[in-house]
Amino acid sequence: MGKVIAIANQKGGVGKTTTTINLAASLAALEFRTLIVDADPQANSTSGLGYNPKEIENSIYECMIENIRTRDAIIQTDFPNLDLLPSHIDLVGAEIEMINLKSREEKMKEALYDVRDDYDFIIIDCSPSLGLITINSLTAADSVIIPVQCEYFALEGLGKLLNTIKIIQSRLNTHLAIEGILLTMYDLRVRLSNQVVGEVTSHFQQMVFSTIIPRNIRLSESPSFGLPVLAQDADSKGAISYLNLAREILTKNGMLPQDQTV
């Protein structure tokens, strides 16, 4: 059964979608069958892989609200081992439509149940909020990665997210674990970046991934080409960093020998 990892932070602009696409692509490149679930109404993971959300017929919305078979909504991307369960703007209304549904917090978990055995990893790109869709994502997940940008106010709102995770752990998903806190948008030349790394590492210690994602022009450009950074420039710092993150996660989960990490 595949491991489900949610990428969550209610703060926007911290690298959730960048991490979703490039971590998933790195796992796929390492020959692990991987599914991206775009659970954000902005559909950035969908467009970031080269698909027009306006042309999507079946998405995670139809799977959760209209009980469309999840396999019928999944798209096989051009990248080996990487599939996509897309999103579109209708997902905005899903929270209102789910209000009166029974077990409304478990609709995504139900949608993913039948496909979990098809994949080694399922990576969920959460929306920048702590609404019902994000709660669904965390209820469906085995663990959560929290991207934190190396900028001013980096820790702002993090306590609220961790509190939400604790509530979900106690009421909806007792098995939910924190996979790790991921430092993103790191700039070696900026003193503030180094201060944030020190502050987050000091505060959260072992929860913080060893891999740090740098600011990188290729990472910024790749969504406009509809490509993961690995497919655009495999030698870029961004591509190498996400491969290292994938290896770190695989090692942590006992899926990659220690001597294969870099």
Side-chain angles (χ1 to χ4, degrees):
M1 183 174 286
K3 180 163 190 174
V4 181
I5 302 176
I7 314 293
N9 190 330
Q10 78 275 20
K11 201 168 188 289
V14 299
K16 285 189 296 295
T17 298
T18 298
T19 295
T20 299
I21 292 174
N22 292 295
L23 171 59
S26 296
L27 290 166
L30 294 168
E31 300 187 346
F32 289 88
R33 297 165 302 161
T34 306
L35 173 68
I36 290 175
V37 178
D38 191 347
D40 185 349
Q42 297 175 81
N44 289 334
S45 282
T46 301
S47 59
L49 285 172
Y51 299 95
N52 185 347
K54 294 179 181 179
E55 296 175 358
I56 297 296
E57 293 184 14
N58 292 323
S59 70
I60 184 64
Y61 169 84
E62 281 77 17
C63 297
M64 293 172 65
I65 304 298
E66 299 178 6
N67 296 318
I68 294 289
R69 271 178 25 115
T70 304
R71 283 191 181 89
D72 293 337
I74 288 174
I75 298 169
Q76 287 186 322
T77 74
D78 294 333
F79 312 101
N81 300 313
L82 184 62
D83 291 351
L84 169 69
L85 180 52
S87 178
H88 58 55
I89 194 64
D90 286 356
L91 196 60
V92 168
E95 298 201 2
I96 297 171
E97 295 179 58
M98 287 194 293
I99 289 293
N100 296 317
L101 294 181
K102 184 180 178 182
S103 302
R104 61 182 180 269
E105 299 91 352
E106 298 185 354
K107 292 301 174 185
M108 187 177 298
K109 183 177 181 179
E110 293 169 6
L112 296 180
Y113 180 81
D114 286 341
V115 300
R116 283 193 64 159
D117 286 339
D118 297 345
Y119 298 97
D120 299 303
F121 288 95
I122 296 175
I123 311 294
I124 305 174
D125 185 10
C126 297
S127 62
S129 76
L130 292 179
L132 193 50
I133 299 298
T134 297
I135 290 170
N136 260 265
S137 301
L138 294 172
T139 301
D142 298 306
S143 65
V144 54
I145 291 173
I146 304 169
V148 174
Q149 82 280 31
C150 296
E151 295 179 356
Y152 200 61
F153 293 136
L155 299 180
E156 187 181 57
L158 193 53
K160 189 174 181 181
L161 174 60
L162 292 172
N163 188 53
T164 299
I165 290 171
K166 284 183 182 177
I167 292 169
I168 288 169
Q169 287 169 329
S170 64
R171 299 180 187 176
L172 296 168
N173 183 359
T174 57
H175 301 294
L176 180 65
I178 296 178
E179 192 76 28
I181 293 172
L182 177 66
L183 290 160
T184 63
M185 304 180 189
Y186 174 72
D187 190 336
L188 179 66
R189 301 164 299 175
V190 178
R191 180 193 292 179
L192 180 60
S193 281
N194 294 298
Q195 290 175 343
V196 171
V197 170
E199 186 177 357
V200 174
T201 304
S202 173
H203 197 274
F204 294 102
Q205 300 180 0
Q206 299 302 315
M207 290 171 62
V208 183
F209 285 110
S210 298
T211 303
I212 297 177
I213 308 301
R215 282 196 176 278
N216 180 249
I217 190 67
R218 290 288 185 261
L219 278 178
S220 302
E221 289 176 346
S222 58
S224 65
F225 295 104
L227 297 169
V229 69
L230 261 179
Q232 188 194 5
D233 185 353
D235 295 323
S236 67
K237 288 183 179 179
I240 292 167
S241 295
Y242 276 109
L243 274 171
N244 287 344
L245 176 64
R247 291 188 177 104
E248 187 173 349
I249 291 169
L250 291 167
T251 301
K252 181 178 179 180
N253 286 276
M255 301 172 74
L256 192 72
Q258 195 76 30
D259 59 5
Q260 288 190 30
T261 60
V262 295

